[in-house]
Amino acid sequence: MDLTKLSLKQTIKALEDKQFSKQELNRAYLSKIDTLNSKLNVFLEVEKNTLGIPAAIKDIIITQNIKTTAGSKILSNFLPPYNATVIGRLLEKGCSVIGKTNHDEFAMGSSGENSAYGVTKNPWNLKKVPGGSSSGSAAAVAADMCVFSLGTDTGGSIRQPASLCGVVGLKTSYGRVSRYGAIALSSSLDQIGPFTKTVEDARTILEWISGEDGLDANCHGKPFQPQKSFKNLSGIKIGVPKEYFGKGLDKGVEKVIREAIKKLEELGGEIVEVSLPHTEYAIAAYYIILPSEVSSNLAKFDGIRFGFDRSKFGAEAKRRIMLGTFTLSAGYFDDYFIKAAKVRTLIKQDFEKAFEKVDVIVGPVSPTVAWDIGEKFDDPLAMYLSDAYTIPANLAGICGLSLPCGFVEGLPVGLQILGKYWGEDTILSVGEIYEQATDWHKEKPKL
Amino acid sequence: MKLTDIQVKHVAKLANLPLSSEELKKYGEQLSKILDYIEQLNKIDTSKVNPTFNVVDKKNVWDEDIVKPSLSQEQALQNGQTKNDYFITKGVFEEE
Amino acid sequence: MYEPVIGLEVHVELNTKSKMFCRCSADYFGKKPNTQTCPVCLGLPGSLPYINKQAIEDCMKIGLALNCEISKKSLFERKNYFYPDLAKGYQISQLRWPLCIKGWIEVDPPSHKASEGQETSRIRINRVHQEEDTGKLTHSGSETLIDFNRSSVPLVEIVTEPDFKDSSQIKDYAKKLQQIFRYLGVSDADMEKGQMRLEANISVRKVGQKQLPAYRVELKNINSFRFMVAAVEYEIKRQIEALEKGEKLVQETKGWNEDKKQTFTQRVKEEANDYRYFPEPDLPEMQFEESKIKDLESNLPELPWKKLEQFIEKYGINESSARILTEDKDLAGFFEQLVELGKKEGVLAKDIANYVVNQKIDLLNDSPQQIIDDIKAKKTNLISDDSQLEKVAKEVISENPQMVETYKKGKVTIIQALIGVVMKKTAGKADATKVKIILESLLNL
C-alpha cells in the first residue's frame, strides 16, 4: 500500500486501526520527498524527525525554531521564537510540520516565480508553473509529499495554485482563521487555509484551525462546526456570474467549467444567472489596497531585530512597496486608497445582493490552465490580470473553494465555489457532493 | 499617470529602499503603467459610498489589562545583531 | 509689534500594567534590556497588535477631564516612518479618527492680561488620542544600542490649538495637565523619567494679523518645565529680533542647550514629513455609546479645580492655601482625612489648612491624630499679637540675608522657609497666616 495516496481521513482511520505506525507514515512521506523534491523544488526545509500526521506548511507561516523565510533572501536566516496560532492548533491535533514549502516572495505572485529560492514546478508538467503564491503547498499535496498543507490566500494564493495543481484548496472567510503568525502581505485580505486531497479533509482542517485566539483581533467566533449535510443539491441555488465568463477566459477552461456546472444541475442544483457588476474593477482596487498595506507591513524589515537589510527584497516586493508608498503619499491618499476602499464596498455589496438570490456562486478559478515558466514573468500587469476571478472574494471577505473539475491538454482545471461570508459549511457541502459524483480528484500526476 | 524621476526617487526615499538608477527607471515605468490601469476606477461614481477598510463587523475588540509572559531575553535577541543584550545598529546620528 | 503664536503637544505615558498592543509588562523603568518584549512589541514577522482596554479608558478619561467630545467612532491608524527605535516601521497612532476632540482648559492669562485684571484664559484642545511608545536608543560612538522594553507602552497625545500667548501660560498648562494625570491616576507624569514630554510649536506674527505664520519652529526633547519655559522665551525673542531685522524664518526642529542657554537646530525640514497614515487593518474600529461615555464621565475622580472650589467653599480656607493643598492629590486626600478627624475634636478646617500649609508634612509617616493634637495644643497658646510677631520677623530677616536676597530676586516661595524659622523661634506658637503677612510686608518695603 502506498501510504502517501491516502486522504487525511483515511490516514487517521488507518492509524487508529493500527494498519501502520506514525513512524511508517512519516518514513513513507520523507522518502517521497527525498525522491521528488529535487525535481519539483517544493520544500525549502524538511524536518527529518517528525512523528505526527505530516503537514506541509507554506514558509510564510511562522514555525518555532524552524527556519521561516517568507520566500525571501531578507529572511534567509530567520529562526522564529514562536509558533503561529494555526501551527499550535495542528500540533495539538497530532500533526507535525514535515517541511516548509516554497512560494512567491512574501506571497506576491501568481506563478511561484517570485520565490528567491527558485520556482516550484507543476507536478503535472515540469515545464509549467504551479500557480501562486502558495506554489509549494499546492504541489506538495498534488505530488503526495504530505497528507495536507497550509497556504495563505490574499488574492487567490490558495485557490489558484490548487486549481493549477489539481487539488482542493479552501480560502476561508476573513476572520475565520487567526492570522497570528502568518507573515502579513495585505492585512485586510490575508487568510490562512488548507490544501487537501478531498473536500472532506478541507472541512476537518478548518475545524482544527479556526476560531478566535485572542491574538488576531479580526479573528472571531468559535471553531468551525459543520451543520448541514445534504445528500444532493435539490433546493440549492447555484449562481453563475456572467462577468466570470467574459473576454480572457480560455475556451478550453470555459468548456470544462460549463460541464461542471451542468453536472451540478444534474445533481439537483438550480442554476441561476447572477451579476457581479463591479468585477472588472476588482484588480484595480486590489492593486491599490494591497501595495498600500504591503508598503507598511514590510517596513519592519530593517535588518536590526531579524533578517537582512532592505536591499535583499526581490523585484516584485520592491515594486509593490514603491507602488503602495506612492498611493499612500500626501496628496494621493484620497484619490487612491480611499477610492479603492469605496470600490471595495461596491464589490462586497455585489456579492451580498447576489447571495440574496443564490446559495453559492460558481465559476472558474483561473482564466487559463498552468502556463509555461517564464511566460508572463516580465509583464507584471499581465500577471496581475490572471487573478481576476479570485481577487473579488478577498476584497469582500467571503469564502471560496477550488476543487478539481477536469483537464485541458493534460493540465488540471479547478472549479471555484464561492460562498457568503461565514458560508464555509455550504460551499464544502456543495463541493463534496460534486466531488463524490465525479472522479477528477482521483487523478494523480505521473511523476 | 506618468511619474517623474523626482517623484520616483522621492517614493524610494520614503520607502527606505536603496534602488539603483536602473531600478528607479524600471519601477518608474512599471508604476506609471499600473497607475494608468488603476485610473479606470475614476469611471465609477463613489460619492455616496462609504469606504471599507476592514470587512469584520466586530467593534471594540480588546483585552483586559493583564500582564502575560514575555519572550526570554535570549529569544528576543536570537535573530538580531546584538551587543551587551541590546540590539545594535550603525550610529543614528544624534541630531545636534 | 509682534506677538507669539504657540501650540503645545504633550505626550503622557499611561501607567497600565501591560503594554498598548501586547500584554508584556509596561513597567520598563530600570529593567534589563530587551527582557519585556514579545513578537508584537519587537515587531517580529507574523505578529499582530491587540488593544489594551484600560488604556483606551484612560485616554477617554483624559479627554473628558479636558472637556473633550468623545468620538462615537474611532479608528487606529498607522503612522509610517523609519527609525531604529520603531520596531514595526510604523507607529500605531490616530490622525483622522482620534478618541477625543474639541476640548478646552482654563489657564492663567498671559502676564500682561493678568496685570490688566483678567483672571483666566481658555486654551482649546484640538485632540486627545491614543498611541504607543517606541524603544529606547543609546548612542555610543558610531553605534546605536536599542532596548525595546519601552516599545508599545501606551502613550496619550494631547494637542492644543495655537492659543498660548507667553511662556507663563505654557508652564501653567503643563502643570495643570500633570496635576490632572495624577488626579485621574492614569500616569505619574514624571518628566525626568520621560513619562510626560512637551513639544511646543512657536512662531510670531504682527499684532492684528489673523492668519498663522507660514513657518513654525518645533521645540522638542526638552525634559523639564523650566527648560521648556526658557526655550520658549528664547525663541520668541530670537524670532522677533530676526523678523525686525527683515530675516526670513524657516521651518525647523530645535532643542535646548542648558549650558549655553539657547536653542539649537536639530533638523531643518526641506519638505514636510509624509507619514502616509492609513487605517490600521489589524484592528477593528471602536464605537462608544452615549451611555458608556456618561458612565465614564460620572465616575471620573474629582479633578483639581473642583477640589479647589470645594476647599474654598466648604472649608472656608483662602485660595492660596487651597491651591497648595490641592496641588498634589495625595496631600489633598490627607487634608480631607485631617478635616474629618478634626471635626470630632472641634478643630477647624481653617486651622488644619494653616498647619498643613506651613509645616512640612510627611504624608507617609505623620500620624493624623498627632497632627490634630499638635494643632489643638498650639491653638491654646497661639501668639497672635502683631507687635510681638513683627519683632521676631525682623530678627529672622536680619539673621537670614541670603534667603531675603533670594526672595527679592523673585523666588518668592522662599518665604515658606522664613516662616519656618519664625515658627521655630516661637516654638511653633506663632499664627502662621499672620507671620506670612507680616514677613511679606517687611520684605516688600
Side-chain angles (χ1 to χ4, degrees):
Chain A
M1 175 169 60
D2 182 356
L3 310 188
T4 65
K5 295 235 177 317
L6 301 178
S7 71
L8 172 62
K9 193 180 179 202
Q10 289 167 332
T11 304
I12 293 171
K13 177 90 174 37
L15 284 169
E16 278 170 5
D17 295 351
K18 301 207 170 15
Q19 289 178 36
F20 49 79
S21 67
K22 281 192 171 172
Q23 282 86 345
E24 287 168 291
L25 179 69
N26 277 278
R27 226 175 293 138
Y29 276 107
L30 285 171
S31 116
K32 197 71 168 271
I33 292 171
D34 208 35
T35 322
L36 294 178
N37 200 41
S38 55
K39 227 193 267 185
L40 296 174
N41 195 25
V42 161
F43 285 96
L44 299 176
E45 196 80 5
V46 177
E47 292 292 293
K48 295 269 185 251
N49 302 308
T50 51
L51 279 175
I53 296 167
I57 306 297
K58 186 178 185 179
D59 207 24
I60 204 164
I61 298 173
I62 297 282
T63 43
Q64 185 164 12
N65 297 329
I66 304 175
K67 210 169 81 174
T68 301
T69 68
S72 179
K73 288 283 184 225
I74 208 168
L75 277 188
S76 60
N77 63 349
F78 179 52
L79 206 59
Y82 76 107
N83 263 330
T85 293
V86 290
I87 299 299
R89 288 185 175 166
L90 289 182
L91 297 180
E92 274 170 31
K93 293 290 176 185
C95 300
S96 55
V97 178
I98 197 166
K100 301 298 292 287
T101 61
N102 196 8
H103 59 90
D104 287 291
E105 181 176 4
F106 290 106
M108 298 179 195
S110 314
S111 69
E113 291 160 293
N114 291 331
S115 168
Y117 302 98
V119 63
T120 295
K121 311 288 172 25
N122 190 315
W124 293 88
N125 181 336
L126 303 187
K127 290 195 177 59
K128 304 283 180 183
V129 299
S133 66
S134 310
S135 328
S137 286
V141 173
D144 289 328
M145 296 161 91
C146 61
V147 181
F148 69 93
S149 66
L150 291 185
T152 57
D153 192 318
T154 303
S157 284
I158 289 175
R159 288 160 290 157
Q160 187 256 20
S163 172
L164 269 49
C165 289
V167 298
V168 174
L170 173 67
K171 182 242 174 249
T172 51
S173 300
Y174 186 85
R176 181 69 99 168
V177 178
S178 170
R179 294 171 298 125
Y180 193 81
I183 299 177
L185 171 62
S186 187
S187 313
S188 75
L189 302 164
D190 298 343
Q191 270 293 293
I192 294 173
F195 290 92
T196 53
K197 298 173 187 183
T198 64
V199 173
E200 186 178 39
D201 286 357
R203 184 188 287 123
T204 303
I205 306 299
L206 181 61
E207 286 176 52
W208 288 354
I209 63 174
S210 58
E212 64 186 24
D213 65 343
L215 295 168
D216 174 357
N218 284 331
C219 179
H220 54 102
K222 292 198 173 70
F224 171 78
Q225 280 205 310
Q227 303 291 328
K228 291 177 202 140
S229 73
F230 33 88
K231 291 269 174 323
N232 57 52
L233 298 178
S234 66
I236 300 294
K237 293 198 173 100
I238 293 165
V240 178
K242 56 175 186 283
E243 293 82 4
Y244 283 42
F245 291 85
K247 194 174 69 159
L249 177 60
D250 176 83
K251 290 288 166 241
V253 172
E254 179 171 1
K255 186 159 166 277
V256 169
I257 298 294
R258 296 275 185 209
E259 276 163 21
I261 292 169
K262 203 186 293 166
K263 186 79 196 174
L264 291 171
E265 196 169 16
E266 282 167 29
L267 291 166
E270 183 192 336
I271 307 299
V272 181
E273 187 172 300
V274 294
S275 176
L276 301 167
H278 295 93
T279 301
E280 62 173 306
Y281 300 107
I283 294 173
Y286 179 80
Y287 277 98
I288 294 170
I289 293 166
L290 178 136
S292 299
E293 294 186 359
V294 162
S295 71
S296 177
N297 283 335
L298 295 191
K300 62 176 62 162
F301 294 86
D302 59 3
I304 295 175
R305 287 146 291 122
F306 51 84
F308 293 101
D309 71 79
R310 294 175 72 75
S311 67
K312 298 288 187 294
F313 280 127
E316 185 64 24
K318 286 180 183 171
R319 184 153 44 232
R320 295 198 195 180
I321 291 170
M322 289 288 286
L323 180 56
T325 302
F326 175 75
T327 50
L328 288 179
S329 64
Y332 297 102
F333 177 78
D334 287 332
D335 289 348
Y336 289 106
F337 192 82
I338 295 292
K339 181 80 185 183
K342 288 179 168 182
V343 173
R344 187 175 184 177
T345 304
L346 296 173
I347 288 165
K348 191 165 163 266
Q349 287 169 350
D350 279 357
F351 280 112
E352 283 161 3
K353 274 177 215 151
F355 282 120
E356 283 169 13
K357 291 198 290 183
V358 297
D359 299 294
V360 296
I361 288 171
V362 301
V365 174
S366 165
T368 66
V369 290
W371 57 89
D372 288 345
I373 290 169
E375 193 180 320
K376 299 182 191 174
F377 189 61
D378 286 328
D379 189 352
L381 193 53
M383 189 81 88
Y384 296 172
L385 296 178
S386 69
D387 294 330
Y389 307 143
T390 47
I391 282 172
N394 296 82
L395 291 170
I398 61 173
C399 57
L401 184 70
S402 173
L403 74 166
C405 72
F407 290 84
V408 173
E409 291 167 8
L411 291 167
V413 175
L415 174 70
Q416 180 165 228
I417 306 178
L418 295 173
K420 61 180 76 161
Y421 190 67
W422 237 241
E424 279 85 344
D425 204 22
T426 306
I427 59 170
L428 288 165
S429 296
V430 172
E432 193 168 21
I433 287 166
Y434 176 83
E435 185 182 78
Q436 282 168 0
T438 58
D439 286 329
W440 303 114
H441 65 288
K442 291 179 185 156
E443 301 276 340
K444 294 279 181 181
K446 313 250 176 317
L447 281 157
Chain B
M1 151 157 205
K2 177 94 182 76
L3 293 183
T4 65
D5 292 354
I6 294 168
Q7 273 177 310
V8 178
K9 248 188 208 158
H10 174 66
V11 170
K13 194 178 155 211
L14 277 178
N16 192 20
L17 279 182
L19 298 181
S20 66
S21 51
E22 292 86 59
E23 281 179 311
L24 284 171
K25 188 166 178 292
K26 184 180 80 181
Y27 293 132
E29 284 164 8
Q30 290 175 340
L31 255 52
S32 300
K33 207 171 142 192
I34 296 165
L35 291 173
D36 283 342
Y37 177 79
I38 287 170
E39 291 287 304
Q40 62 174 298
L41 293 186
N42 294 332
K43 288 193 275 182
I44 320 171
D45 176 11
T46 51
S47 54
K48 293 194 178 67
V49 183
N50 286 322
T52 298
F53 302 127
N54 186 335
V55 297
V56 173
D57 207 19
K58 288 271 170 188
K59 314 274 185 267
N60 304 344
V61 181
W62 44 41
D63 249 358
E64 297 304 323
D65 184 27
I66 297 164
V67 174
K68 291 180 184 166
S70 296
L71 291 174
S72 70
Q73 189 186 52
E74 190 189 351
Q75 284 176 314
L77 297 171
Q78 73 183 27
N79 285 289
Q81 303 289 322
T82 62
K83 184 177 175 180
N84 304 335
D85 302 330
Y86 289 89
F87 288 97
I88 185 168
T89 184
K90 60 178 186 296
V92 178
F93 196 59
E94 253 302 60
E95 291 155 334
E96 281 183 42
Chain C
M1 272 295 277
Y2 290 91
E3 65 171 5
V5 184
I6 311 169
L8 230 59
E9 287 168 27
V10 172
H11 284 90
V12 61
E13 246 175 26
L14 300 179
N15 58 8
T16 53
K17 294 184 190 74
S18 67
K19 293 185 177 182
M20 186 63 229
F21 296 113
C22 63
R23 300 293 82 79
C24 284
S25 170
D27 180 17
Y28 65 86
F29 202 78
K31 297 293 190 305
K32 287 188 182 146
N34 300 301
T35 52
Q36 294 189 164
T37 67
C38 72
V40 181
C41 55
L42 273 181
L44 292 190
S47 64
L48 297 168
Y50 213 96
I51 297 171
N52 182 340
K53 182 184 178 191
Q54 184 63 50
I56 299 296
E57 287 194 1
D58 288 354
C59 180
M60 288 164 68
K61 282 184 204 165
I62 294 171
L64 288 168
L66 294 171
N67 306 297
C68 287
E69 286 172 24
I70 304 296
S71 309
K72 296 267 174 323
K73 164 183 159 170
S74 178
L75 293 183
F76 277 107
E77 293 161 82
R78 292 187 185 176
K79 177 181 182 178
N80 296 284
Y81 66 97
F82 290 91
Y83 211 64
D85 63 7
L86 188 64
K88 298 187 291 297
Y90 55 84
Q91 180 191 35
I92 304 179
S93 180
Q94 302 192 293
L95 175 74
R96 299 179 185 85
W97 296 273
L99 276 165
C100 325
I101 52 167
K102 289 190 207 156
W104 53 265
I105 181 172
E106 299 284 358
V107 300
D108 290 345
S111 314
H112 69 277
K113 292 277 183 190
S115 59
E116 289 165 17
Q118 187 178 320
E119 284 185 352
T120 55
S121 68
R122 184 172 279 202
I123 302 296
R124 292 169 298 155
I125 307 290
N126 174 285
R127 55 171 43 240
V128 175
H129 75 244
Q130 182 73 62
E131 56 184 40
E132 56 177 336
D133 212 341
T134 61
K136 219 175 161 111
L137 301 182
T138 313
H139 305 283
S140 108
S142 63
E143 293 170 334
T144 294
L145 303 175
I146 320 165
D147 170 16
F148 287 100
N149 284 347
R150 194 182 67 181
S151 173
S152 202
V153 166
L155 272 188
V156 168
E157 180 171 351
I158 299 138
V159 183
T160 72
E161 299 292 349
D163 289 348
F164 295 92
K165 295 281 179 276
D166 67 12
S167 62
S168 70
Q169 284 193 296
I170 291 176
K171 194 172 166 191
D172 188 48
Y173 171 76
K175 282 243 142 89
K176 286 206 161 95
L177 279 194
Q178 191 178 48
Q179 212 181 8
I180 289 170
F181 302 145
R182 290 174 180 173
Y183 264 75
L184 293 173
V186 299
S187 175
D188 296 337
D190 183 333
M191 283 191 71
E192 275 171 24
K193 284 188 182 168
Q195 293 164 340
M196 180 171 163
R197 301 164 213 165
L198 310 182
E199 287 171 36
N201 291 307
I202 306 180
S203 49
V204 296
R205 66 180 170 197
K206 283 221 166 80
V207 172
Q209 180 185 326
K210 280 276 176 286
Q211 72 270 39
L212 294 174
Y215 76 97
R216 62 178 200 199
V217 172
E218 210 175 319
L219 291 176
K220 258 188 161 170
N221 305 319
I222 297 177
N223 65 352
S224 84
F225 290 139
R226 201 156 59 80
F227 295 169
M228 180 51 93
V229 166
V232 167
E233 281 168 1
Y234 179 90
E235 264 307 302
I236 295 171
K237 196 160 159 267
R238 182 190 74 87
Q239 292 182 20
I240 291 177
E241 281 171 8
L243 289 180
E244 278 171 347
K245 276 188 249 166
E247 287 170 23
K248 190 171 151 44
L249 289 162
V250 293
Q251 190 96 353
E252 56 185 332
T253 302
K254 296 189 133 202
W256 175 248
N257 184 325
E258 173 59 14
D259 295 332
K260 294 186 189 162
K261 305 264 185 268
Q262 62 189 31
T263 59
F264 65 93
T265 301
Q266 290 178 319
R267 190 172 61 222
V268 177
K269 284 179 194 169
E270 298 145 16
E271 53 207 32
N273 278 336
D274 188 346
Y275 292 121
R276 290 158 286 130
Y277 280 91
F278 73 103
E280 165 58 277
D282 289 327
L283 296 171
E285 70 178 51
M286 297 174 282
Q287 283 188 3
F288 306 101
E289 282 168 22
E290 198 62 51
S291 61
K292 160 86 195 165
I293 298 167
K294 282 258 154 23
D295 197 41
L296 208 57
E297 197 166 12
S298 61
N299 283 316
L300 279 188
E302 206 164 25
L303 291 161
W305 51 86
K306 277 266 178 231
K307 201 134 256 185
L308 181 77
E309 253 172 48
Q310 192 200 14
F311 279 14
I312 295 170
E313 280 170 22
K314 199 162 143 198
Y315 304 133
I317 57 185
N318 64 40
E319 189 180 330
S320 70
S321 296
R323 272 191 194 280
I324 294 167
L325 290 170
T326 54
E327 204 156 273
D328 181 84
K329 187 189 179 188
D330 295 336
L331 182 65
F334 188 72
F335 172 71
E336 285 175 312
Q337 200 187 333
L338 287 175
V339 171
E340 276 309 301
L341 199 61
K343 251 188 213 164
K344 291 184 205 132
E345 312 220 1
V347 179
L348 293 175
K350 221 166 127 180
D351 295 328
I352 297 171
N354 280 337
Y355 184 92
V356 173
V357 167
N358 294 312
Q359 305 283 319
K360 275 249 176 296
I361 296 287
D362 181 347
L363 288 181
L364 292 176
N365 297 314
D366 284 353
S367 124
Q369 188 61 54
Q370 186 62 50
I371 290 174
I372 294 295
D373 290 349
D374 260 19
I375 296 170
K376 273 164 80 179
K378 275 174 199 155
K379 189 80 189 164
T380 49
N381 46 17
L382 200 64
I383 307 169
S384 56
D385 176 43
D386 282 6
S387 59
Q388 202 180 338
L389 288 175
E390 198 173 316
K391 191 171 152 249
V392 183
K394 277 181 176 162
E395 272 171 39
V396 168
I397 285 173
S398 63
E399 285 162 10
N400 294 281
Q402 269 179 331
M403 283 195 219
V404 173
E405 200 185 340
T406 311
Y407 180 89
K408 291 197 166 160
K409 274 187 180 158
K411 198 170 174 247
V412 293
T413 47
I414 194 86
I415 202 159
Q416 294 301 339
L418 289 166
I419 294 170
V421 183
V422 174
M423 296 309 275
K424 211 167 163 189
K425 276 192 175 269
T426 57
K429 288 178 187 157
D431 180 334
T433 318
K434 282 196 170 167
V435 172
K436 188 171 183 224
I437 296 166
I438 291 165
L439 278 171
E440 272 171 350
S441 64
L442 290 172
L443 287 166
N444 290 328
L445 277 178

